[in-house]
């Protein structure tokens, strides 16, 4: 690709209307391991593929974060950038609670994070964030999932995958997703979707998951025992 110096800054368009630094950041996302979000009639599911090193502690999830009681984030790409954005989202969410005495809406957090990402495409001396994030939760309006990307775009989805191999996984989700999924079926679908591209089919060893149920509106990590239970239903989604 002949960028001819137009990729030296995110503030410059190339003659064919491209911002190379933003495109490079989006390419970084495509090289990250999978992250998936699925809405069900009973809540939302966030699932990620994590491949820990041999002696690494697996108790702490590296790619799923809690923003507020009712909102979580799953990230793909350059995870340090995700951590900074999640800290920003937490501060914003708590500020909303202090100002308005109510929990922030998922869409408001998604727009805020997209606005922050967009700022890094407008100034010299900075680089775009190399991460996409799935913002999922249950608020006053019900269950919702949004995806932000390095350009500052944010889009709402019923089910979505980001990261390496996401095109094939999204085609799989489009084929198998239904509006009336239970929370358990949504979790099983997410496991089947990750295993679509995994080296070890049908396993849960490299899968981490969190959920927010419509009833509790509380972010919860999914235990390994529950993952094992959900994975038994994943076979009905296997192509």
């Amino acid at each position: 690709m002949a960028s001819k110096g137009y990729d030296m800054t995110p503030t410059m368009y190339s003659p064919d209307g491209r911002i190379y630094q933003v495109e490079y950041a989006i390419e970084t996302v495509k090289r990250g391991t999978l992250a998936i979000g699925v809405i069900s009639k009973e809540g939302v599911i966030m699932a990620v593929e994590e491949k820990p090193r041999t002696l690494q502690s697996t108790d702490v999830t590296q790619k799923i974060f809690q923003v507020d009681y009712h909102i979580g984030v799953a990230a793909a790409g350059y995870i340090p950038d995700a951590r900074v954005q999640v800290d920003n989202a937490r501060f914003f969410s708590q500020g909303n609670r202090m100002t308005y005495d109510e929990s922030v809406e998922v869409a408001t957090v998604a727009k805020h994070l997209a606005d922050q990402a967009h700022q890094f495409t407008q100034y010299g001396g900075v680089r775009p964030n190399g991460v996409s994030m799935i913002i999922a939760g249950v608020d006053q309006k019900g269950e919702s999932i949004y995806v932000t990307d390095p350009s500052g775009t944010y889009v709402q989805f019923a089910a979505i995958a980001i990261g390496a191999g996401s095109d094939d996984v999204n085609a799989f989700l489009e084929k198998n997703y239904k509006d009336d999924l239970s929370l358990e079926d949504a979790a099983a679908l997410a496991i089947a979707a990750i295993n679509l591209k995994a080296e070890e089919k049908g396993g849960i060893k490299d899968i981490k998951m969190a959920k927010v149920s419509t009833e509790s509106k509380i972010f919860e990590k999914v235990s390994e025992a529950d993952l094992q239970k959900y994975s038994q239903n994943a076979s009905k989604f296997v192509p």
Side-chain angles (χ1 to χ4, degrees):
M1 179 169 57
S3 61
K4 297 181 180 177
Y6 291 105
D7 61 349
M8 300 301 289
T9 171
T11 64
M12 187 182 294
Y13 286 97
S14 69
D16 56 348
R18 298 164 69 179
I19 303 177
Y20 284 106
Q21 283 286 320
V22 173
E23 290 186 21
Y24 297 161
I26 291 171
E27 192 61 36
T28 299
V29 174
K30 292 178 182 175
R31 293 169 186 267
T33 51
L34 274 171
I36 291 174
V38 183
I39 287 180
S40 78
K41 62 183 180 182
E42 299 168 348
V44 294
I45 290 288
M46 291 151 275
V48 296
E49 182 183 22
E50 286 189 11
K51 297 176 180 175
R53 296 172 66 176
T54 306
L55 298 178
Q56 181 180 331
S57 170
T58 56
D59 295 340
V60 179
T61 307
Q62 302 294 323
K63 293 181 57 185
I64 295 180
F65 309 88
Q66 182 173 5
V67 170
D68 203 335
Y69 294 114
H70 61 303
I71 299 176
V73 162
Y78 190 55
I79 300 305
D81 284 355
R83 279 207 317 272
V84 172
Q85 286 191 276
V86 166
D87 283 345
N88 187 314
R90 288 168 176 163
F91 186 82
F92 174 77
S93 181
Q94 293 307 307
N96 188 95
R97 195 179 290 274
M98 294 290 288
T99 304
Y100 302 110
D101 195 27
E102 64 180 14
S103 56
V104 69
E105 291 182 4
V106 179
T108 307
V109 173
K111 180 183 183 302
H112 174 73
L113 289 176
D115 289 346
Q116 298 296 307
H118 182 241
Q119 284 191 25
F120 282 79
T121 70
Q122 298 182 79
Y123 300 104
V126 299
R127 63 161 176 78
N129 289 302
V131 69
S132 280
M133 295 192 296
I134 296 170
I135 299 107
V138 180
D139 57 24
Q140 303 92 318
K141 295 181 178 177
E143 311 87 7
S144 56
I145 287 175
Y146 289 83
V147 172
T148 65
D149 76 9
S151 71
T153 302
Y154 73 105
V155 183
Q156 188 172 13
F157 290 93
I160 187 67
I162 54 177
S166 57
D167 289 345
D168 290 341
V169 176
N170 280 320
F172 172 78
L173 290 172
E174 286 171 19
K175 183 179 175 184
N176 289 281
Y177 178 80
K178 294 181 177 61
D179 292 338
D180 61 347
L181 286 175
S182 67
L183 199 62
E184 289 195 5
D185 280 344
L189 177 60
I191 291 170
I194 289 177
N195 280 326
L196 195 68
K197 308 301 285 186
E199 295 167 12
E200 182 187 327
K201 304 294 182 187
I204 59 163
K205 183 168 68 76
D206 295 333
I207 297 176
K208 301 288 186 184
M209 186 180 287
K211 64 182 179 181
V212 182
S213 73
T214 305
E215 187 177 352
S216 69
K217 293 185 180 169
I218 299 291
F219 175 96
E220 299 173 73
K221 295 278 180 70
V222 174
S223 69
E224 196 165 324
D226 282 343
L227 265 180
Q228 193 69 55
K229 184 177 73 174
Y230 298 151
S231 69
Q232 292 169 3
N233 293 327
S235 58
K236 65 183 177 185
F237 296 110
V238 174

